[in-house]
Amino acid sequence: MAQQETDQPVNDEFIVDTEDCEERETAHRERGTSRPITVVGNPVLHKECKDVTEFDEKLAQLIDDMFASQRTAEGVGLAANQIGVDLKVFVYDCMDDEGVRHVGHVCNPVLDELPADRRILDDSNEGCLSVPTAYAPLARPDYAVVRGQDMKGNPIAVQGTGYFARCLQHETDHLYGYLYIDRLSKRDRKDALRQMAEGTPRYPVVPND
């Protein structure tokens, strides 16, 4: 069945993730415990994660730990499998291209398929906490909509432009078993892995066996 093209949804469909950013991020982080980051080659990064089905205190604690881990690693987004947890949830603390800060989380995220007229590609550099010290240009749409649930199970939708749109796509990819280097040419992937091998992570990582 082909996707029906519709007008862009009105803004009140989307959560407000730009208010009280510092207070919300700090509260999550101070309740959480920072964990080391899994890196490319760890099996949990290379398979689709399990759906979140229990919206309980354990999930809330995981989200707090993810914010703490994200801050330690100085990242702008973090998926649960990047700290070794096989669940579809990611957190973010990311600026868009207008300098507006966005802070939030999404469980069971699904990216909207964009109509052709919204697929304007941006080929900026991309990096990943699970491929430390490596960067490569990767073309992605400069607008993204992710739908999912919050930590209480309520349906939510998040929209982003520019760098924040890239973040939403990157983190959703993680939860379906894809790293950004999987979207590169063989040559560029090899170069990214070389950069990683030659670099030293600035944050704790889980060594692969």
Side-chain angles (χ1 to χ4, degrees), residues 42-50 81 84-88 172-179 182:
N42 189 307
V44 74
L45 294 174
H46 303 283
K47 64 176 183 177
E48 181 175 344
C49 292
K50 297 175 182 176
N81 54 355
V85 178
D86 183 14
L87 281 178
K88 284 181 182 167
T172 301
D173 269 358
H174 268 302
L175 302 176
Y176 290 86
Y178 294 100
L179 298 169
D182 297 328

Side-chain angles (χ1 to χ4, degrees), residues 12-144:
D12 62 7
E13 177 180 4
F14 300 103
I15 63 167
V16 177
D17 59 5
T18 56
E19 297 179 352
D20 304 318
C21 288
E22 185 66 24
E23 293 84 351
R24 291 188 292 111
E25 190 275 340
T26 298
H28 280 300
R29 176 165 43 85
E30 291 184 345
R31 291 191 300 261
T33 300
S34 181
R35 307 191 201 180
I37 304 296
T38 56
V39 296
V40 58
N42 189 307
V44 74
L45 294 174
H46 303 283
K47 64 176 183 177
E48 181 175 344
C49 292
K50 297 175 182 176
D51 289 344
V52 175
T53 58
E54 297 184 11
F55 299 86
D56 53 13
E57 292 183 4
K58 186 176 180 181
L59 175 64
Q61 185 61 58
L62 170 62
I63 290 171
D64 290 341
D65 289 356
M66 290 171 68
F67 272 104
S69 304
Q70 176 177 253
R71 175 58 69 94
T72 297
E74 300 178 11
V76 298
L78 187 75
N81 54 355
Q82 291 185 274
I83 56 168
V85 178
D86 183 14
L87 281 178
K88 284 181 182 167
V89 53
F90 71 79
V91 302
Y92 59 88
D93 181 359
C94 185
M95 297 284 192
D96 61 27
D97 284 2
E98 284 70 49
V100 177
R101 184 179 180 185
H102 300 259
V103 171
H105 67 277
V106 184
C107 303
N108 303 324
V110 177
L111 281 166
D112 273 12
E113 186 70 28
L114 297 179
D117 64 342
R118 291 309 303 265
R119 288 186 59 83
I120 301 171
L121 296 181
D122 170 20
D123 60 356
S124 296
N125 262 11
E126 191 160 327
C128 178
L129 298 179
S130 292
V131 193
T133 74
Y135 295 89
L138 177 63
R140 289 192 190 267
D142 70 352
Y143 175 73

